[in-house]
Amino acid sequence: MGALFEKYLKGDRVIWMIVIFLYLSSLLLIYSSSSSLAFRYHGGNTTYFLIKQLVFLLVAFIVMWTAHLIKYSVWYRLANILLALSVPLLGITLLFGRNLNAASRWLEIPGLGISFQSSDLAKVILIMYVAKYLSQMQESTDDFKQFLIQLIAPVAFVCALILPANFSTAALLGLTCWLMMFVGRVNLKYLFGITGIGIVLVGAFIAISLQFKTLSRAQTWVNRIENFISDDKTEGNYQLEQSKIAIATGGIIGKGPGRSTQRNFLPHPYSDFIYAIIIEEYGVVGGVFTLILYLMLLYRAALLVKKSNRLFPAFLAFGLALMLTLQALINMAVAVGAIPVTGQPLPLVSLGGSSLIVSSGALGIILGISRSQDKKELFDGEEPVKDNN
């Protein structure tokens, strides 16, 4: 096993092991949570979703493996170009994207019949851009004009393009960038001031959207919050109630692999509520272990930050790991009823295409930074613009 890692899977071995474990867990959980649904709607083929996820995982692994071979300096050079390309892509998705669950989130590649969520790609690109900017501005943290034009404007614009169709993704991305700025020593007076203005503008957008219902899914957001605080156990809270039943019946050690009963009642047991299936089948022990795996990813990224003497790879690894960890925590919080339903999948585990592939690509970038550290590439002065460190 050591020789395999040394030859083919370079970088942080703990991250590789966590990813491979989550991949294998995904196959087991997808088959368990979707077999009855596949039997019902796909001609008795209980392995329909399993095979679909297996294909996604193979593609995701290739993307991750390829990304881990690329030097971090390549992402530094491409950050601005990729951001410039992602903005029109988000605009096209918002205006002409394929509707799913009353949201224009999907963009179809002409002639191939393949759809993807452009917001998934934009998340990684924006974090890449923020990491680059923060690495350059350490000696000018009090320059408000530069901060506003070069950092806040791109972050706000990208989040604004995602917001109408996908509030939770826009909020997750905004929070990740905010925490990166906080860690990046942005002047707190500027940071909290802009945050206050942003909250007011988002509130105004939601209020206007409720009057002109075609602008966004604001009514859906309001309904989810109302359902969350409501005592109604039969209608609006159906998903959450079924999830709570799954968790309550799982106990300490769970019912065992493949023995979930709530998979027949949860609307999305293989994606949004897969964490409830984990606890039902593997108990609190399985749920806590899954939580620890994601926290360990963040911890390993923090170690990369600690060892790095270059700011860009440090900010990039931290931002990407933070985004994935926050997404996982949001998915888990929804499943246990701590926050309203968001629709965020569990990274590397939930059934999905673009989310799984992009998340794997993000981890590939983190592994690439780790590989560069092992090869001392972070210390050879290759960075196109010197970090002010």
Side-chain angles (χ1 to χ4, degrees):
M1 181 64 73
L4 174 66
F5 275 99
E6 185 68 28
K7 187 174 182 180
Y8 298 109
L9 306 179
K10 302 180 185 299
D12 192 304
R13 294 187 181 184
V14 175
I15 294 180
W16 275 114
M17 293 174 66
I18 291 173
V19 170
I20 291 172
F21 182 85
L22 290 174
Y23 275 8
L24 295 176
S25 299
S26 175
L27 290 175
L28 184 62
L29 289 163
I30 293 300
Y31 181 67
S32 173
S33 61
S34 66
S35 57
S36 58
L37 187 67
F39 181 85
R40 191 180 313 134
Y41 294 106
H42 294 279
N45 180 11
T46 59
T47 62
Y48 175 83
F49 290 107
L50 174 65
I51 294 173
K52 187 176 181 179
Q53 183 72 351
L54 179 60
V55 172
F56 286 147
L57 286 171
L58 290 174
V59 174
F61 183 83
I62 292 172
V63 169
M64 180 173 59
W65 184 81
T66 302
H68 106 285
L69 297 177
I70 300 174
K71 291 183 180 180
Y72 79 93
S73 56
V74 172
W75 306 118
Y76 186 97
R77 295 186 181 97
L78 292 178
N80 291 53
I81 298 173
L82 292 175
L83 182 66
L85 294 175
S86 68
V87 169
L89 198 63
L90 287 170
I92 293 171
T93 304
L94 183 62
L95 295 175
F96 308 107
R98 182 164 63 89
N99 287 326
L100 184 63
N101 295 329
S104 298
R105 301 180 181 178
W106 298 84
L107 197 61
E108 186 169 330
I109 301 176
L112 297 179
I114 299 175
S115 298
F116 68 98
Q117 292 193 57
S118 57
S119 59
D120 287 330
L121 197 57
K123 288 189 298 186
V124 174
I125 293 172
L126 184 61
I127 289 172
M128 199 178 293
Y129 174 84
V130 172
K132 179 177 180 178
Y133 176 84
L134 290 174
S135 71
Q136 294 176 333
M137 56 79 68
Q138 291 302 296
E139 291 183 356
S140 57
T141 54
D142 288 328
D143 189 336
F144 180 72
K145 183 177 180 181
Q146 181 186 17
F147 165 70
L148 186 63
I149 296 175
Q150 296 187 26
L151 184 57
I152 293 301
V155 171
F157 194 58
V158 170
C159 290
L161 288 173
I162 298 173
L163 176 64
N166 198 336
F167 179 88
S168 61
T169 296
L172 170 64
L173 181 56
L175 177 60
T176 302
C177 292
W178 192 96
L179 291 171
M180 289 178 68
M181 294 178 211
F182 181 82
V183 172
R185 297 184 297 179
V186 168
N187 190 308
L188 293 182
K189 178 176 63 176
Y190 300 156
L191 189 56
F192 283 106
I194 291 296
T195 301
I197 295 173
I199 292 173
V200 171
L201 291 176
V202 171
F205 173 78
I206 294 174
I208 295 172
S209 297
L210 291 174
Q211 298 298 320
F212 303 93
K213 300 185 184 300
T214 58
L215 289 178
S216 73
R217 304 177 68 222
Q219 189 59 55
T220 301
W221 309 334
V222 172
N223 290 342
R224 285 178 174 178
I225 295 174
E226 290 178 345
N227 291 336
F228 177 72
I229 62 177
S230 170
D231 293 329
D232 183 1
K233 306 295 183 184
T234 59
E235 296 181 9
N237 284 338
Y238 177 79
Q239 288 178 309
L240 183 56
E241 290 305 311
Q242 297 305 316
S243 179
K244 288 180 178 179
I245 292 172
I247 292 170
T249 56
I252 301 298
I253 60 174
K255 299 176 179 178
R259 296 185 176 181
S260 167
T261 54
Q262 293 310 114
R263 63 188 175 187
N264 299 314
F265 303 98
L266 274 168
H268 302 286
Y270 45 79
S271 56
D272 297 359
F273 286 91
I274 199 166
Y275 189 65
I277 302 300
I278 292 175
I279 298 179
E280 184 182 11
E281 294 191 352
Y282 300 94
V284 174
V285 173
V288 171
F289 181 71
T290 303
L291 172 61
I292 291 174
L293 289 180
Y294 288 103
L295 294 178
M296 183 62 70
L297 280 176
L298 184 60
Y299 172 72
R300 298 303 296 186
L303 292 182
L304 295 182
V305 173
K306 184 178 179 180
K307 291 191 296 183
S308 177
N309 74 339
R310 293 281 185 173
L311 292 177
F312 173 69
F315 284 131
L316 181 58
F318 170 73
L320 293 176
L322 181 64
M323 177 191 69
L324 293 173
T325 304
L326 287 175
Q327 182 177 328
L329 293 177
I330 289 171
N331 178 278
M332 296 175 190
V334 168
V336 301
I339 61 175
V341 175
T342 64
Q344 289 294 322
L346 189 61
L348 306 182
V349 176
S350 294
L351 178 69
S354 61
S355 177
L356 174 61
I357 292 170
V358 171
S359 296
S360 297
L363 283 165
I365 294 173
I366 296 173
L367 287 165
I369 293 171
S370 174
R371 182 187 65 84
S372 294
Q373 284 187 341
D374 293 342
K375 295 178 66 177
K376 307 301 182 183
E377 290 175 355
L378 297 186
F379 304 88
D380 61 10
E382 290 185 350
E383 197 154 338
V385 178
K386 182 180 178 182
D387 289 341
N388 297 312
N389 185 25

